[in-house]
Amino acid sequence: MRPELRAMGHALRPFTAAARRLRRQPGLTLIGWHRVDDFCGDLSTPVDSFRRHLDELEAWGAHVLPLDEAVARLDAGTLPDRAVALTFDDGYASVVEVAWPMLKERGLPATLYAVSGYLGSDRRLPWDLGQPDHDGLRLVSADGLVAACEDGLDIGSHTVSHPWLPRLGTRELRRELEESKLALEDLLGRAVTSVAYPTGGWDPGVRRAAEEAGYATGITVDRGLNTARTPKHSLRRAFVPHDPRNVRPLLDGGYTVLRPLDTLRRQETPW
């Protein structure tokens, strides 16, 4: 995170935290990561930093809930204060091998969003191609995903091939959403209720297609607190900055002012 953005988040934190305390009904904060490993890269969160992220959640007084339960309680108006759900995108092996044991040790639930077309192979995700090969780029295998699911890790869809969904035609959009859901359900033997839009790419058509595909929730990367009025197929979420000092401003909403940047980014085609 650039220094000026970090300074802005810290400066706004007292005001956004006060506004949160004044809310009549608690909202839901969704946060996310990609990889948890000690290899360099924008998507890698160092293991010690991740541990300190969890320490910050505990110190903040977060009530970490399973995603489905959190959304149901958001609808019912029964969320506890400082409700949080934890997510991981892309299906990297380090999530099930490193992050999930750390979460289990603390009794914290989480959801991993897997790209169904990249299971059971040695393929690399598009942005990892051409990078020096290291273990941090390894994706979870189909067997590993099943084992993690049986161990309590919630699994959601991250589409078949991780495309920028707003640019797809109707047929291809439906295929990416529906086939990934069916493939994961067949593999896991359980319902897959949530989809995370790759790179946060969504528009009203994507949101409608996700609902028609049978997902209960769709997850974006638009910063902000989710309330009962937030559409369930465009729930807001922020990725956690690597530096643990930035976790509190994120949880208190200090970086929500950056949401217009998310809107601009949604209009681009990254891949």
Side-chain angles (χ1 to χ4, degrees), residues 8-22 252-254:
M8 182 184 300
H10 282 265
L12 291 173
R13 180 189 167 201
F15 304 100
T16 55
R20 184 168 188 153
R21 287 193 297 269
L22 293 173
D252 281 328

Side-chain angles (χ1 to χ4, degrees), residues 149-165:
C149 180
E150 292 175 347
D151 198 36
L153 180 62
D154 181 43
I155 307 299
S157 167
H158 207 33
T159 71
V160 174
S161 64
H162 202 286
W164 182 250
L165 295 176

Side-chain angles (χ1 to χ4, degrees), residues 31 33 50-64 82 84 86 102-103 105-108 247-248 251:
I31 59 176
W33 299 263
F50 182 68
R51 182 179 294 107
R52 292 170 63 192
H53 291 171
L54 301 184
D55 290 342
E56 288 292 332
L57 278 169
E58 182 178 350
W60 187 68
H63 288 89
V64 180
R82 304 191 179 202
V84 179
L86 313 181
M102 296 170 68
L103 292 166
E105 185 177 349
R106 299 176 186 238
L108 300 179
V247 174
R248 293 289 188 96
L251 294 170

Side-chain angles (χ1 to χ4, degrees), residues 211-232:
E211 184 174 9
E212 291 173 351
Y215 294 103
T217 54
I219 312 299
T220 74
V221 294
D222 300 347
R223 299 167 178 86
L225 189 69
N226 294 288
T227 71
R229 293 187 295 178
T230 307
K232 298 303 177 291

Side-chain angles (χ1 to χ4, degrees), residues 68 149 154-157 181 184-186 188-194 214-215:
D68 285 349
C149 180
D154 181 43
I155 307 299
S157 167
K181 186 177 191 297
L184 290 170
E185 289 178 338
D186 184 61
L188 302 172
R190 58 173 291 275
V192 170
T193 60
S194 180
Y215 294 103

Side-chain angles (χ1 to χ4, degrees), residues 121-143:
S121 73
D122 293 328
R123 296 175 65 188
R124 294 283 184 257
L125 290 165
W127 52 91
D128 291 333
L129 296 175
Q131 291 196 39
D133 191 46
H134 59 73
D135 197 55
L137 303 182
R138 185 166 48 88
L139 298 171
V140 64
S141 67
D143 289 344

Side-chain angles (χ1 to χ4, degrees), residues 194-211:
S194 180
V195 59
Y197 305 125
T199 324
W202 73 277
D203 59 20
V206 170
R207 184 170 64 188
R208 182 170 56 254
E211 184 174 9

